[in-house]
Amino acid sequence: MTSLPDSRLAHMSPSLDDMASRVLAEHASSQRTRTIVALAGPPAAGKSTLSESLCETLNALEPGIAVVVPMDGYHFDNAVLAPLGLLYVKGAPETFDAKGLYHDLVRVRADEGPVAVPVFDRPLDLARAGGRVVETHHRIVLVEGNYLLLRHAPWDALLELFDIRIFLDIEDEVLVPRLLHRWREMGQDARGAHERTHHKDMLNAHLIKQDSLSADWRWRLANAPIGSDGEDS
């Protein structure tokens, strides 16, 4: 795991250390043997980087306690999306196996042994089955993804499984340049980047902001510089 760059830490409220302390305190004060945390927010808000950095911080405080389960691992494959006419909108709610994620988290909640989960390989643009394992020593499971708090079926079924709900808050004027940068880095020209940002990702971002249920904590990220982590989900 890689730490969050110092340039990003300056733009977070609360700080990474404070958020880790909150999660640990909530876990310790509960009667649960395992705490499942949802970290939701718009595309390119930085969820992947923040969740991995939060996991690293938690494990520095209590070795081996935390693991990340990324929602992106539940992308339907392009071979499934193409015949359905959904390849262009890949990343929209209907292009994920929300029920598969639900069933895996039910197994995580049951805490009856290791649970293998898929992870998304961005360079290959596909999910790798069994790419990560939630082990029995992982007492805090950080689930990160766009639609974890969405109030609509089938996503709303997930809500009962989350003990802590965190929403990553980011303004549109910060989000748009990050999305444009992401698409240019992925080889799109200026027109293609603009099209995908404004007619795809920002539509999803507005859905997430408007139709996600209230979070227990909001993690604010404002005026964040665009850097090498521009591919964050």
Side-chain angles (χ1 to χ4, degrees):
M1 298 179 188
T2 56
S3 299
L4 194 66
D6 290 341
S7 61
R8 294 282 298 281
L9 286 172
H11 301 278
M12 292 172 54
S13 178
S15 71
L16 188 62
D17 288 340
D18 286 343
M19 185 60 78
S21 296
R22 287 189 188 188
V23 172
L24 282 174
E26 179 69 17
H27 173 68
S29 66
S30 73
Q31 301 300 311
R32 299 180 293 267
T33 59
R34 173 169 276 164
T35 296
I36 302 180
V37 181
L39 176 58
K47 298 180 300 299
S48 297
T49 298
L50 287 175
S51 61
E52 294 290 351
S53 296
L54 178 59
C55 184
E56 184 180 64
T57 303
L58 289 166
N59 285 329
L61 295 170
E62 294 193 25
I65 196 172
V67 67
V68 176
V69 174
M71 187 199 81
D72 277 357
Y74 295 85
H75 265 109
F76 284 120
D77 193 83
N78 291 353
V80 173
L81 297 176
L84 297 174
L86 294 175
L87 192 55
Y88 176 76
V89 296
K90 186 175 182 178
E94 63 269 27
T95 64
F96 290 89
D97 182 14
K99 292 182 179 179
L101 173 59
Y102 172 83
H103 289 299
D104 280 350
L105 291 182
V106 167
R107 294 175 62 209
V108 169
R109 167 64 70 213
D111 195 13
E112 295 174 346
V115 178
V117 299
V119 296
F120 193 69
D121 190 319
R122 283 194 182 277
L124 296 179
D125 192 32
L126 53 78
R128 294 189 288 111
R132 186 167 298 170
V133 178
V134 179
E135 302 283 3
T136 54
H137 60 80
H138 292 133
R139 298 293 89 198
I140 297 175
V141 179
L142 306 171
V143 187
E144 64 92 2
N146 296 341
Y147 306 115
L148 301 178
L149 304 183
L150 208 61
R151 65 178 75 245
H152 307 303
W155 296 95
D156 58 345
L158 295 170
L159 298 171
E160 66 184 42
L161 301 173
F162 298 135
D163 303 304
I164 302 173
R165 300 184 297 192
I166 302 173
F167 190 84
L168 183 55
D169 227 350
I170 183 168
E171 300 293 343
D172 285 0
E173 54 265 32
V174 178
L175 199 56
V176 168
R178 287 177 58 82
L179 286 165
L180 291 169
H181 177 78
R182 168 193 278 186
W183 285 113
R184 293 305 298 269
E185 288 288 298
M186 293 174 67
Q188 292 293 323
D189 59 18
R191 181 176 181 180
H194 183 276
E195 173 72 16
R196 285 163 172 77
T197 293
H198 291 281
H199 299 289
K200 177 183 174 182
D201 288 335
M202 286 306 296
L203 297 181
N204 294 332
H206 291 152
L207 172 68
I208 293 161
K209 289 185 177 186
Q210 294 167 9
D211 287 3
S212 291
L213 294 175
S214 297
D216 299 305
W217 306 324
R218 298 186 80 85
W219 205 353
R220 182 108 180 128
L221 183 63
N223 302 321
I226 299 171
S228 59
D229 58 345
E231 291 188 355
D232 283 351
S233 63

